[in-house]
Amino acid sequence: MNRRKFLQNSSLAGIVISPLSSLASLSAATNKNNTELSDWGSDDFPLNEVSIEALQQKMSSGIFTSRKITEMYLSRIAAIDKKGPRLHAVLEVNPDALYIADEMDRERRAGKLRGPMHGIPVLIKDNIDTGDKMMTTAGSLALLGHKAANDAFIVKQLRLSGAVLLGKTNLSEWANFRSSRSSSGWSSRGGQTKNPFVLDRSPSGSSSGSAVAVSANLCAVAIGTETNGSIISPASYCGVVGIKPTVGLLSRSGIIPISKTQDTAGPIARTVKDAAIFLSALVGIDEKDAVTSESKDRSQNDYSKGLDKNALKNKRIGIEKSFLTGHPDVVSLYNQAIEVLKKQSAEIIEVELINAMKDAGAGQFPVLQFEFKDGLNKYLSNAGASVKTLADVIVFDKQNEPKAMPYFKQDILESSDAKGALDEKEYKDALIKTLSSRKIIDDMMAKNNLHAIVAVSSGFANAIDVINGNYGTGFYFAGPAAMAGYPHITVPMGRVHELPVGFSFISGAYTEASLINLAYAYEQASNKRTAPTFIKTTIPE
């Protein structure tokens, strides 16, 4: 979760933040001291930018096996994540990864193919339970050593699809719900994750490691989670595709929670098609997560089916008007993206969703505080960790402050623990206010007969600052869809001084199929994804 951005926006996660001119992005082209990957060796990794479809073709033709592909990604993680640029994206690799790959190869040889994810290596955010030899810690030293007894529901789905669980990714500790001064991508377990485009820049969060790993080609695809921007913002910062589904499309059981009304897992990939393929493998109704029953007859088995590069033709697209002003380089990219929509024969209508969401946004933070305390206490009470409550976590951190809190503290943990039960009036009133976001989006789309609303996903990456925490660089669009529990997709829109910026598509509940198609059409027409070059710094002498 992008907690600092949320707090900076006071009543609304999503309102434009004034950029800090003294910390504005500087051009890498003018910096004589930039250090790129070539300083660590040429980036000639054979699987760079490879798609799921291409990997399947290589396995079908016998060029590669799943074991070979898995070995190549493990070597890539060792070379790029642990040495070289030292991205700190991966917390641990799965000791059973090669065993799983071997089993998928045996099935392939026997003529059994489980689907498009068969034999594909994936990384998983470390707040998602895996009932294996890997830990589930949410990046916290308080949960170090905790191994879940069972797979999360989406991990079970993943195993059934034939995917290879490659490892766990770093994240903003407690999904960035620990401190108002947090540095996105930092955890006491894993340290600071770095943006693969410019290493001294933030990867955003909280799904920092998942987005960085995909962008840096450490895996084929990865799973992130989002409460408010935790998939969309890191995907935007790291120049990849992220999908935050409708709350209810994917089960949350077995995922360390923040909010039962806003939490969801989702895919991160380098292309819209790969994200759609991956999403398809994760859907399913889970009796342990009641909200998934709402997806019955509203989900699809294959979100990659029927993707059409002409899907934008004659579609009415709302553009967020407030983002037409701000940092000129970001606004320029935004205008270019809008021109792409127009060239694809989309009809453009200006809307002001951010402003319309102000009152709804005022209730969001207290809702999350109440739900975090309730949900985390329930999770910990059934987990095998030594801490059993949120209060226990707070005590642990204080007792281990030099290691657990060397840079910023835990004011959000403490203020959340001070909240009461979910039957309190404060919670109920705040929830009503927050959920009004659904009617606001629905009414705006109906009034203007829109197929989607688009905007800048998030501003360019801020510099990493573990002392002061994150700062805003203008533009943040995660709030509306997050509060409503509606789907949101970000696609690369271009770069500002080497730093990626994403282009967002949102719509109503369970409209993933149409939204993915629109995002795909934009992606195919714009083609803005580029691989990172691991520049050391954009700060000149």
Side-chain angles (χ1 to χ4, degrees), residues 62 70 103 113 144 206 216 233 288 316 340 357 364 380 407 479 487-488 501 503:
T70 302
E103 181 61 28
L113 289 177
L144 194 65
S206 63
S233 190
K288 293 182 179 180
R316 289 175 60 86
V340 170
M357 283 282 181
Q364 185 181 192
L380 292 175
Y407 304 117
H488 188 165
V501 179
F503 189 49

Side-chain angles (χ1 to χ4, degrees), residues 56 99-100 102-108 111-120 155-165 280-281 301:
Q56 290 296 349
Y99 171 82
I100 298 170
D102 286 341
E103 181 61 28
M104 293 305 102
D105 286 334
R106 283 191 288 271
E107 289 187 6
R108 186 182 294 273
K112 178 183 178 181
L113 289 177
R114 302 189 184 196
M117 290 301 299
H118 190 109
I120 302 295
V155 174
K156 292 178 183 177
Q157 296 293 88
L158 198 57
R159 292 190 197 273
L160 288 172
S161 76
V164 177
L165 276 64
S280 306
N301 294 325

Side-chain angles (χ1 to χ4, degrees), residues 300-317:
Q300 295 193 8
N301 294 325
D302 184 1
Y303 285 97
S304 68
K305 185 178 180 180
L307 290 178
D308 181 7
K309 65 180 182 180
N310 297 311
L312 284 163
K313 186 176 182 180
N314 298 327
K315 297 299 191 300
R316 289 175 60 86
I317 307 296

Side-chain angles (χ1 to χ4, degrees), residues 1 3 6 177 226-229 244-252 255-265 289-292 294 360 363-376 378 422 427-438 478-487 509-510:
M1 178 171 205
R3 175 59 25 224
F6 172 83
F177 208 71
E226 174 162 327
T227 305
N228 187 320
K244 183 204 83 73
T246 303
V247 173
L249 187 66
L250 304 186
S251 168
R252 286 87 51 83
I255 300 177
I256 297 175
I258 292 179
S259 166
K260 66 178 184 177
T261 55
Q262 291 186 202
D263 285 353
T264 182
D289 186 356
V291 73
T292 59
E294 298 174 6
Q364 185 181 192
F365 189 46
V367 166
L368 301 186
Q369 289 177 300
F370 275 98
E371 292 184 350
F372 177 63
K373 178 182 179 180
D374 178 75
L376 185 62
K378 288 176 180 175
L422 299 187
Y427 169 72
K428 293 179 180 179
D429 289 348
L431 183 62
I432 290 170
K433 186 173 291 187
T434 301
L435 293 182
S436 68
S437 57
R438 297 175 180 177
M483 287 187 288
Y486 284 178
Y510 296 102

Side-chain angles (χ1 to χ4, degrees), residues 83-162:
K83 300 179 182 178
R86 293 180 62 83
L87 299 173
H88 297 290
V90 181
L91 284 174
E92 63 180 311
V93 295
N94 185 3
D96 294 328
L98 293 177
Y99 171 82
I100 298 170
D102 286 341
E103 181 61 28
M104 293 305 102
D105 286 334
R106 283 191 288 271
E107 289 187 6
R108 186 182 294 273
R109 289 193 296 270
K112 178 183 178 181
L113 289 177
R114 302 189 184 196
M117 290 301 299
H118 190 109
I120 302 295
V122 307
L123 286 167
I124 301 167
K125 188 176 178 180
D126 183 46
N127 60 346
I128 303 173
D129 285 349
T130 55
D132 53 21
K133 298 171 185 174
M134 293 188 290
M135 291 183 279
T136 304
T137 70
S140 172
L141 291 180
L143 290 183
L144 194 65
H146 169 241
K147 295 179 181 178
N150 301 292
D151 285 338
F153 181 86
I154 59 170
V155 174
K156 292 178 183 177
Q157 296 293 88
L158 198 57
R159 292 190 197 273
L160 288 172
S161 76

